[in-house]
Structures are given as C-alpha cells and as structure tokens.
Amino acid sequence: MELRQMQVVVAVAEAGGFSAAGRRLRLVQSAVSATVRAVERELDVPLFDRSTHRAVPTAAGEAFVAAARTALSAADQVHAAVDAVRGVLRGRVTLGVMQGLLGGLPPAIGALRRAHPGVVVRLRQAPAEEIVDAVREGTVDLAVIALTGRPRGLVGVELMRDRMVALVGPRADLPDARVTLAELARHPFVDIAPGWAIRHVVDRAFRAAGVERAGVFETNDILAAVELVRADLGVTIFPATLAALFPDLRTVAIRRAPTWTAGVVHRKGPLVPAAAALLEHLERAGSGG
C-alpha cells in the first residue's frame, strides 16, 4: 500500500466526503473514489459508509485512518531527518487557531517562511474545544487558543496576557472612565456564542462579580458582533488587542478587568522539525522578540 493511498483515505475522513477530499488534494472525485475502492479491495473491508450524504468511516475505516496518520507522520519525520542532515528544513505543519487570535499570527508565520521557504503552513480555524481535540487526534500539530485551564494530556505554552475591555458604539451612554461589570450589565449585551473562549472568560467574570447581564444578541462571528456594536445595538467585551483592530469604536476600561491569556498547545513528546520551528517563532513573537 502506498503513502499516497493513505493520504487520500485520511483526506476523505477529515473532509467528510469524496468531492471535498478531491478539492483538498487537487484531484477529481473519480480519482479519489477509485483510490478508496482500491484500498478497500486490498483490505477486503469497506472503509466508509456511503449511505448518507457524508462519507462516514466505518469501524474499520476509523482504525485505518488512525494507523495511516501514524504512518504518514513517520514518513514526514523520515524526510525531515534527511533534510536536517542536508541543512534544509521542509515539511508541512497544521496550525489550529481559535476565532479572534488569527491577527497576531501572520508575523510569526512570515518569519518562519522567510527562514524556511520549504515549510508549508496550513491554518485551521474552529472553536477551542474542537481545535484541542484535533491536536489530541494528531490532525493539528499546534494550536493557538485562549488558555482557560490546563489542557488535559497536552503541553501548553503561554504566549501573551491581555486585559479585556468593553467595546461600545459611537452613541453608547457610557463614560470614558473605568466602568464596572454592573454598569455594563445595564446595557444590551452582544455575546459570543457558548463554546468560544471569549464567552467562557466573560461568563466567568460576571459570575465572580455576582452580576447578571441581558444577552440580547449572540453570535459565533467576531465581525458580526462588531457590526452589532457599531450599530449601537449593544456592548461587548473583547481582549484589548482584538478591540484595537476596530479603531472607529470606543473602548472603555473595566474595573477589575478579566484577563485574557493566549497560548499554544501541542501533544507531549518531540515535535516534527517544521512544527518545532513554528513554535519557536510563535514564542518569539509572543515575547516581543
């Protein structure tokens, strides 16, 4: 069995379908289907349940995908080891990132690419819990998330700490001086949806203050939340660095402001060279170096 065949089967499992896997691999759907059928004939077992609109791995398919990921990772390490002897760093690293943290990553990725043009970085954006699960499964090498606790079974490296601020519309009836959470709670509130780290930090801060807010709007899109605030339909709370991306809106400091901590997580054990190099650049960017 060839590594390319393993890559195709893994892509189908990750993308949830043959067409989506073909787009990812730049193959026509018929080639993807033919490859999967060839592997199934060789193993004499179906790898996917094709009775639904999605290609869902069977029990044998799940076992195959887990083993194939290990084999593909080992192959990448073989190539990386040979390249390292030649003084060349190549490979592919998948970087997971939760919403609201993408803005600080391009400088680190750019520095990596200038130092090692042969390294390809794939970005995957999703809620923190989903990204952390992907790191545990090995489908994501590194993940930049809000560190709201110690991720079970993973290594966490803090990159930055940031205070949170109120982001308010142009006609919001709030002073420029520091406000309390109780004062903010008197206004309609634009909440980020449950499951996102911003919501977790904000919920925890209001609970600790013993204050309830009226969550009038709820969205899983940062830009949608900003547009609601810009229309003076409510106020929200963002990390200061994120709020600074919208200079047309006013930020108001919060008394006893909650702290936003961002960091990178990865599985225990040595990283492949490309991932280790990216982690080094992320840490350097986080420390301001």
Side-chain angles (χ1 to χ4, degrees):
M1 186 176 301
E2 300 177 357
L3 290 175
R4 183 61 173 171
Q5 291 176 304
M6 296 184 190
Q7 289 173 335
V8 171
V9 175
V10 169
V12 172
E14 292 179 353
F18 293 85
S19 297
R23 288 192 294 272
R24 177 186 294 187
L25 298 172
R26 297 183 180 179
L27 296 173
V28 296
Q29 179 181 341
S30 59
V32 174
S33 299
T35 300
V36 173
R37 285 196 299 270
V39 175
E40 290 176 328
R41 284 196 300 270
E42 181 176 342
L43 298 175
D44 194 27
V45 64
L47 297 178
F48 294 96
D49 180 359
R50 297 169 173 83
S51 62
T52 64
H53 294 296
R54 291 175 54 85
V56 179
T58 61
E62 290 180 353
F64 179 94
V65 168
R69 284 173 177 153
T70 300
L72 292 170
S73 176
D76 286 342
Q77 291 182 42
V78 168
H79 286 289
V82 173
D83 285 338
V85 171
R86 297 167 52 216
V88 177
L89 182 60
R90 300 182 187 276
R92 183 180 65 188
V93 54
T94 301
L95 175 64
V97 55
M98 55 163 284
Q99 191 182 44
L101 289 179
L102 181 61
L105 298 182
I109 296 173
L112 172 73
R113 293 278 295 153
R114 287 191 295 274
H116 308 290
V119 173
V120 176
V121 180
R122 291 176 53 191
L123 287 175
R124 175 175 169 184
Q125 190 171 28
E129 291 182 4
E130 182 179 328
I131 288 293
V132 168
D133 286 342
V135 174
R136 292 194 179 102
E137 294 168 0
T139 58
V140 166
D141 299 298
L142 304 170
V144 177
I145 62 171
L147 296 178
T148 56
R150 178 174 296 180
R152 177 178 51 83
L154 300 177
V155 177
V157 180
E158 183 177 315
L159 295 179
M160 62 167 288
R161 283 179 178 263
D162 194 10
R163 73 189 190 285
M164 299 190 79
V165 297
L167 191 66
V168 305
R171 292 180 293 277
D173 183 20
L174 277 168
D176 290 329
R178 292 178 183 271
V179 297
T180 65
L181 291 177
E183 289 175 287
L184 287 176
R186 299 190 191 109
H187 296 260
F189 208 88
V190 179
D191 262 322
I192 300 299
W196 294 92
I198 288 178
R199 175 64 176 268
H200 176 82
V201 175
V202 171
D203 282 349
R204 186 173 59 187
F206 275 98
R207 281 197 304 269
V211 175
E212 291 189 10
R213 67 191 184 279
V216 179
F217 298 100
E218 188 175 276
T219 176
N220 63 355
D221 187 322
I222 292 289
L223 294 181
V226 170
E227 286 303 318
L228 290 167
V229 172
R230 187 173 281 128
D232 278 309
L233 294 174
V235 302
T236 193
I237 295 178
F238 278 178
T241 49
L242 178 59
L245 298 177
F246 310 100
D248 62 307
L249 294 176
R250 189 159 57 99
T251 59
V252 178
I254 302 171
R255 293 178 187 171
R256 298 180 181 177
T259 300
W260 169 269
T261 305
V264 60
V265 297
H266 60 84
R267 289 196 293 180
K268 295 180 179 178
L271 293 167
V272 297
L278 177 55
L279 177 58
E280 180 181 344
H281 284 283
L282 288 170
E283 289 182 292
R284 191 176 301 163
S287 65

